[in-house]
Amino acid sequence: MRAVKRGLTLVTMMIALLGACYGAAAQVATTMIQDTVYRADGTPANGTVVVTWPTFTTAAGQAVAAGNTSVTLGPNGALSLLLTANVGASPAGSYYTAVLHLDDGTTSQQYWVVPVSGTPVTLATIESQVLPTSVAMQTASKQYVDQAIAQVSGGTGS
C-alpha cells in the first residue's frame, strides 16, 4: 500500500511539473516599454495612454488576441508597460495604436512596432516612422476625382 501511495505521489508530481513547464512554454514573451512622455513645451506630461492592437501571430508563432490596455503616466511623465513583440508578426504590418490623452487636453496618436527585447525599449525605438499601410492607404473612386476636378475647374468637366 505504501508503494502505491509513493507511486501516485510521484505521478502527481510529474504531472504538476509537466503542467508548469507547459504553462511556461505557452506564455507569450513581452517587451518592457519604458520612457518619459513630454508635452510639446518640453515639460513632463501627465495623463493616460490607451494602447489597442488587432489579432496577430508573433514571429515565434504564438497567437495574440485583439485587445487594449490603458496606462496612467507616472510621476514626471514616466511610462512603463509590457507589450508582446509584433516585429515580424503576421499579418505583415501589424502594429499597436497608442493614443496619448494628456491632462492639458491634448491628444496624439502613435503607431508602435515592438521588437523582441530582454531589456526595456524607449518610445523612439518603437514609434513607427512610416504610417502603417492600412492607415496610410486612402482610396478615391474615379467618379469622386472627376467630380472634384469639375468643381475646381468651374464645372466644365473638360
Side-chain angles (χ1 to χ4, degrees), residues 35-37 44-49 71-80:
D35 208 342
T36 302
V37 176
N46 291 311
T48 59
V49 179
V71 179
T72 301
L73 296 175
N76 298 315
L79 172 67
S80 181

Side-chain angles (χ1 to χ4, degrees), residues 34-47 49 73-79 100-104 106-108 110 122-124 127:
Q34 278 186 330
D35 208 342
T36 302
V37 176
Y38 294 96
R39 291 187 181 86
D41 66 4
T43 60
N46 291 311
V49 179
L73 296 175
N76 298 315
L79 172 67
L100 290 77
H101 299 274
L102 304 184
D103 64 345
D104 64 358
T106 60
T107 61
S108 63
Q110 299 178 353
T122 64
L123 292 176
E127 188 174 0

Side-chain angles (χ1 to χ4, degrees), residues 7-23:
L8 286 175
T9 302
L10 181 60
V11 168
T12 303
M13 287 176 41
M14 291 298 291
I15 290 172
L17 181 60
L18 287 172
C21 290
Y22 176 76

